[in-house]
Amino acid sequence: MIRCLAIDDEPLALQQIAAYIGKVPFLELAATCQSAIEARQFLEKDTVDAIFCDINMPDLNGMDFVKSLVVPPLIVFTTAYAEYAVEGFRVNAVDYLLKPFGLQDFQRAANRLRERLSPQLGDDRDLNKGNVSSSSAPQPPNLGGVNDDTFFLKTDYRVVKVSISDIRYVEAMSEYLKVWLEGEAKPIITLLSMKKMEERLPDNFMRIHRSYIVNLTKIQEVNKNRVILDAQTYLPIGDLYKDTFQAYLDTRFLGK
């Protein structure tokens, strides 16, 4: 089943979305909220696979609400204003429903959600019937080894393969990690602890700060209490990690 959150400040529109969710066998309504603020409070305590979100709402509009989510679920925007369509797709929305929309339009959006989520949920999950086959295998772990130079990370409702040699550094962000890769402008964001990541990475990675693990082969310069990877990337060396990092430097220092 795809757990859904419906958000709309208009009670009748919210009722309609809830009713449509009930008509689609592979969707499950987790909750309805009449504001983005109420939705945020719900998501602090629970998780969903997808959100049907109105855009034009008071206090905090749907677009800004989605942008504020660190790792947002899949999003289907609903609105009476067509001019929001382009901006909606810029935030990687799965679909955009222009009010008033019918069940057929809603079903189209639901099918797109299923297409995006089915690889993650696995072939054994019967989304059409809304249950899991008794012979289905357990979900894969968030981090697993494939060989010495690759592992998989779960991010943004996808599972992606990462080459360890491409990792420049790892940055802690609350309960999430940002994994910065060579040649990529944006990091992979994944729900994982620094300890778990440290355990998986090989010896050429070192924790240099409570919030940073660096690929030692990517360091270009060490300047006082920071390491420099390039002209734009400076990482601090924390007090608790100075001695260990200095010991590493000593083993590779050539000259007096």
Side-chain angles (χ1 to χ4, degrees):
M1 296 290 280
I2 299 175
R3 281 172 50 83
C4 301
L5 175 65
I7 312 171
D8 201 305
D9 64 316
E10 299 177 4
L12 291 179
L14 194 59
Q15 291 175 21
Q16 182 190 49
I17 295 172
Y20 283 166
I21 289 174
K23 293 178 182 293
V24 179
F26 54 83
L27 297 185
E28 174 189 358
L29 181 63
T32 59
C33 298
Q34 288 191 260
S35 71
I37 295 174
E38 183 183 348
R40 179 179 288 169
Q41 293 170 346
F42 172 82
L43 291 174
E44 288 175 353
K45 301 176 183 178
D46 206 342
T47 60
V48 295
D49 301 309
I51 297 177
F52 290 88
C53 185
D54 186 28
I55 294 178
N56 196 29
M57 294 186 291
D59 298 325
L60 178 63
N61 71 49
M63 195 72 66
D64 290 338
F65 164 69
V66 170
K67 290 178 181 177
S68 73
L69 299 176
V70 177
V71 183
L74 296 183
I75 304 295
V76 175
F77 282 118
T78 63
T79 183
Y81 301 93
E83 59 267 25
Y84 285 118
V86 173
E87 187 178 358
F89 286 114
R90 283 176 180 167
V91 297
N92 200 29
V94 173
D95 207 346
Y96 177 93
L97 294 173
L98 185 62
K99 298 178 182 179
F101 54 86
L103 181 58
Q104 184 176 358
D105 293 326
F106 186 88
Q107 180 74 59
R108 179 201 69 216
N111 288 338
R112 289 181 176 176
L113 289 174
R114 179 171 60 176
E115 289 169 3
R116 290 280 293 271
L117 283 172
S118 55
Q120 174 197 344
L121 297 174
D123 294 337
D124 291 332
R125 178 164 292 192
D126 187 350
L127 290 176
N128 288 315
K129 294 183 180 178
N131 57 34
V132 179
S133 167
S134 60
S135 62
S136 62
Q139 293 296 298
N142 195 47
L143 180 67
V146 175
N147 59 42
D148 288 343
D149 191 53
T150 63
F151 54 58
F152 285 92
L153 289 175
K154 183 178 177 183
T155 178
D156 197 21
Y157 295 88
R158 299 176 296 126
V159 176
V160 298
K161 185 168 72 172
V162 175
S163 175
I164 294 174
S165 59
D166 287 340
I167 299 175
R168 304 181 69 217
Y169 65 97
V170 179
E171 179 182 0
M173 182 182 61
S174 186
E175 68 268 36
Y176 294 90
L177 297 182
K178 291 182 178 180
V179 181
W180 294 87
L181 302 178
E182 197 72 55
E184 298 293 336
K186 295 182 179 180
I188 294 173
I189 299 177
T190 187
L191 180 61
L192 196 66
S193 68
M194 287 287 272
K195 183 176 184 298
K196 186 70 173 178
M197 180 62 82
E198 276 189 285
E199 291 173 352
R200 179 62 183 85
L201 291 172
D203 292 341
N204 59 300
F205 285 82
M206 182 179 289
R207 184 88 170 261
I208 61 168
H209 188 276
R210 63 188 298 272
S211 299
Y212 293 100
I213 299 172
V214 67
N215 184 340
L216 298 169
T217 68
K218 307 293 185 182
I219 296 175
Q220 299 300 316
E221 185 179 336
V222 180
N223 189 330
K224 296 183 179 178
N225 293 326
R226 61 185 182 179
V227 299
I228 300 172
L229 305 189
D230 56 44
Q232 289 78 40
T233 309
Y234 299 72
L235 305 181
I237 303 171
D239 290 339
L240 294 177
Y241 304 90
K242 284 181 180 179
D243 291 344
T244 303
F245 183 69
Q246 185 60 52
Y248 160 77
L249 289 181
D250 290 343
T251 63
R252 286 158 176 79
F253 190 80
L254 185 62
K256 296 181 179 181

